[in-house]
Amino acid sequence: MKWRSMVFALMLLACQIVQGAERPNFVIFVADDMAWEDCGAYGHPHIRTPNIDRLAREGLRFDAAFLTCSSCSPSRCSMLTGRYPHSTGAGELHLPLPKTQQLFSTPLREGGYYTAAVGKWHLGSAAESQMDLVKTGGGPGGEEDWVSVLKNRPQDKPFFLWLAATDPHRDYRPGAIDPPHQRSDVVVPPIFPDTPAVRDDLALYYDEIGRFDHFIGLVRDELASQGVLDNTMILVISDNGRPFPRCKNTVNEDGVRTPFIVRFPKLVMAQGSTSSLVSSVDIAATVLELAGVSNDFPTQGRSFVPILKDPQASIRSFAFSEHNWHDYRAFERSVRSTKYRYILNELPNLPGTPPADAVRSPTYREMQRQRDTGTLPLSAGNVFIVPSPREGLYDIAADPHCLNNLVDRLEYHKVLYQHQQELANWQKDTNDTFPGEDHLTPDGFHRETGNKLPGIKGAHPSLGK
């Protein structure tokens, strides 16, 4: 009898070992300020991103993926907790994630996974204990330790790697890649003036995307050499839009629409694309489902595993985003359906000033110069308009840069009301309320110069680049 019990126990252990070896690994590449359309996989004709493009060919490209916030640390906290920024207690730039908030790495660790975050962290010190390893730095783009951590991981555990670059965050310097992108490579969006200074600024931004792409390729090669590539779900995403005016720090398409590419051949057919809505708040639920751990993790998102299995599947009808303090006082909320984006701005008395480093950029200086000389194109001038619209409704298919506000058009009133109600319901469900302008964190920087204002309380100390 004892012999039979021992044999059964050994057989059970063997099954568990086999199952453990087959459990998927997870690698999430996070760009710092990369627009969804700024790579070859999404149709850019000149930005050199061969490794991202290859992952897209081998996997699934999401064409309607959205961030919960176009601001670095709140967006990252939201992804790793599976909760909206205002629900994490870290909804403003540089606010550390409270120790009461749980990362989805915790149930992964409890389920036997090795977990590591390498590169930009930006969640504060309290959350570090929820990873086996947090390693910052690693070269000018934060990527140079990615491969070494992958090589030195425990070989007897499945793994989750959060590989976060500081590319293509400002400030820019020549030399990120060789050869660099040229002015002629640049596609200038209509929200910027098309001048040599703007083209040079965008070309340097392209270079840092190229450096990010290079290290993605090195990690992919290492996964292949270890024989674990096809058992690893790879996700490429950004934390917010490009660090230019009317992009980062907005809840427009240019602020919160993100590249979102998944390679996982166990579920995903190669060369696929999907127009199904997905949110960055959905990442946690998806990873935990695929890992087979924790059904009670307190996520506010939904698993997009059904879309990985069938790109025609749908998990949500609306995606929600928010804009809180990031260098400047703000309170905006937005809802995106399959066709429309609705925006509610509770501070229409303030201009749409971009982040302070973007205010100091060559592009914004050029826009200020053209504003002052009366030569700035109307499509690029929205950042200076005061008062700005309190509400916006945009037909994304016809107006991807959210330039033509349909709020006052009678034929869109039914659409407007639907989106107003969806946003109001989401705010109620997630306990999100506007506290009044006087209760918001004040500006920490000058809106014209981008210089730090002296003696301003509430301008949060930096937790990283």
Side-chain angles (χ1 to χ4, degrees):
M1 194 71 178
K2 290 183 179 180
W3 178 81
R4 289 182 178 178
S5 298
M6 185 179 295
V7 170
F8 177 78
L10 289 172
M11 290 176 62
L12 181 61
L13 178 61
C15 289
Q16 291 173 340
I17 292 173
V18 171
Q19 290 173 353
E22 294 178 347
R23 297 172 73 188
N25 309 301
F26 303 94
V27 174
I28 299 180
F29 294 106
V30 187
D32 195 0
D33 300 3
M34 176 182 168
W36 70 274
E37 60 186 344
D38 289 341
C39 62
Y42 284 94
H44 197 287
H46 302 303
I47 297 180
R48 297 190 295 275
T49 52
N51 297 295
I52 294 174
D53 302 349
R54 182 180 183 182
L55 291 176
R57 290 194 303 271
E58 296 172 341
L60 182 64
R61 187 193 71 220
F62 285 74
D63 294 337
F66 301 97
L67 302 162
T68 59
C69 189
S70 186
S71 177
C72 305
S73 58
S75 181
R76 292 160 187 263
C77 289
S78 179
M79 291 184 213
L80 282 166
T81 61
R83 301 179 66 78
Y84 291 102
H86 65 267
S87 297
T88 66
E92 299 183 0
L93 179 68
H94 301 320
L95 280 179
L97 191 70
K99 62 182 180 181
T100 55
Q101 292 293 313
Q102 190 177 72
L103 309 184
F104 69 79
S105 59
T106 291
L108 285 177
R109 291 174 72 190
E110 293 171 349
Y113 275 76
Y114 173 73
T115 63
V118 191
K120 183 170 181 175
W121 179 237
H122 217 175
L123 276 72
S125 59
E128 291 184 13
S129 63
Q130 297 189 56
M131 290 278 190
D132 292 302
L133 173 69
V134 174
K135 186 175 179 64
T136 58
E143 304 109 340
E144 289 186 1
D145 293 327
W146 288 0
V147 171
S148 63
V149 169
L150 177 57
K151 285 182 175 180
N152 295 323
R153 65 180 176 84
Q155 298 297 308
D156 59 344
K157 291 183 176 183
F159 57 88
F160 162 57
L161 300 184
W162 173 264
L163 304 182
T166 57
D167 288 330
H169 195 290
R170 292 186 184 273
D171 289 328
Y172 299 140
R173 294 175 182 156
I177 60 171
D178 185 19
H181 291 89
Q182 304 297 321
R183 283 181 185 173
S184 57
D185 295 323
V186 171
V187 177
V188 181
I191 53 177
F192 311 140
D194 189 349
T195 68
V198 173
R199 283 181 170 265
D200 289 345
D201 201 16
L202 284 165
L204 290 174
Y205 158 75
Y206 289 5
D207 288 351
E208 291 206 359
I209 293 174
R211 182 166 59 193
F212 173 63
D213 179 84
H214 168 72
F215 282 96
I216 288 176
L218 295 183
V219 171
R220 186 196 182 284
D221 290 347
E222 179 61 26
L223 290 168
S225 70
Q226 292 185 19
V228 297
L229 175 63
D230 287 347
N231 191 39
T232 300
M233 174 185 153
I234 298 174
L235 170 63
V236 179
I237 193 171
S238 181
D239 63 349
N240 45 245
R242 65 174 75 86
F244 284 74
R246 216 167 180 274
C247 299
K248 182 178 179 178
N249 280 21
T250 76
V251 286
N252 298 323
E253 293 289 289
D254 288 298
V256 293
R257 191 170 178 180
T258 180
F260 202 97
I261 294 169
V262 175
R263 184 194 191 277
F264 189 43
K266 287 193 171 184
L267 286 184
V268 174
M269 295 286 289
Q271 297 185 337
S273 65
T274 177
S275 59
S276 300
L277 290 177
V278 68
S279 169
S280 58
V281 79
D282 300 327
I283 295 171
T286 304
V287 170
L288 293 177
E289 179 179 345
L290 291 174
V293 300
S294 185
N295 292 324
D296 58 354
F297 184 77
T299 178
Q300 293 173 318
R302 307 170 184 176
S303 170
F304 56 82
V305 168
I307 302 175
L308 299 180
K309 295 178 179 178
D310 175 11
Q312 301 301 314
S314 176
I315 64 164
R316 58 170 61 246
S317 299
F318 301 94
F320 302 92
S321 304
E322 59 191 85
H323 172 205
N324 307 309
W325 188 93
H326 182 125
D327 298 340
Y328 304 101
R329 177 178 282 159
F331 195 98
E332 290 181 280
R333 300 296 184 259
S334 182
V335 55
R336 172 64 146 80
S337 61
T338 56
K339 188 175 181 181
Y340 298 98
R341 177 171 294 283
Y342 169 72
I343 296 173
L344 175 64
N345 179 12
E346 297 285 10
L347 300 176
N349 57 305
L350 298 177
T353 310
D357 58 356
V359 170
R360 299 188 296 267
S361 72
T363 295
Y364 200 68
R365 294 286 187 249
E366 184 70 3
M367 292 171 68
Q368 289 173 317
R369 184 188 68 78
Q370 291 195 359
R371 173 201 62 188
D372 295 342
T373 59
T375 58
L376 184 65
L378 183 63
S379 60
N382 289 356
V383 293
F384 300 116
I385 293 175
V386 179
S388 56
R390 184 174 184 273
E391 293 182 286
L393 180 69
Y394 305 95
D395 181 340
I396 298 306
D399 182 23
H401 295 288
C402 300
L403 295 170
N404 183 25
N405 192 349
L406 305 174
V407 161
D408 294 328
R409 296 270 294 272
L410 183 62
E411 63 268 36
Y412 290 97
H413 278 193
K414 184 176 180 180
V415 173
L416 174 63
Y417 178 76
Q418 178 195 23
H419 287 71
Q420 288 171 329
Q421 290 302 114
E422 290 294 338
L423 184 64
N425 291 340
W426 171 75
Q427 289 191 275
K428 181 179 179 182
D429 291 343
T430 61
N431 194 28
D432 178 43
T433 57
F434 175 53
E437 182 172 355
D438 292 342
H439 295 281
L440 297 175
T441 304
D443 290 359
F445 296 81
H446 194 281
R447 287 181 179 261
E448 278 290 298
T449 66
N451 295 329
K452 189 174 178 61
L453 295 174
I456 295 294
K457 296 181 179 179
H460 308 300
S462 175
L463 297 177
K465 182 180 177 184

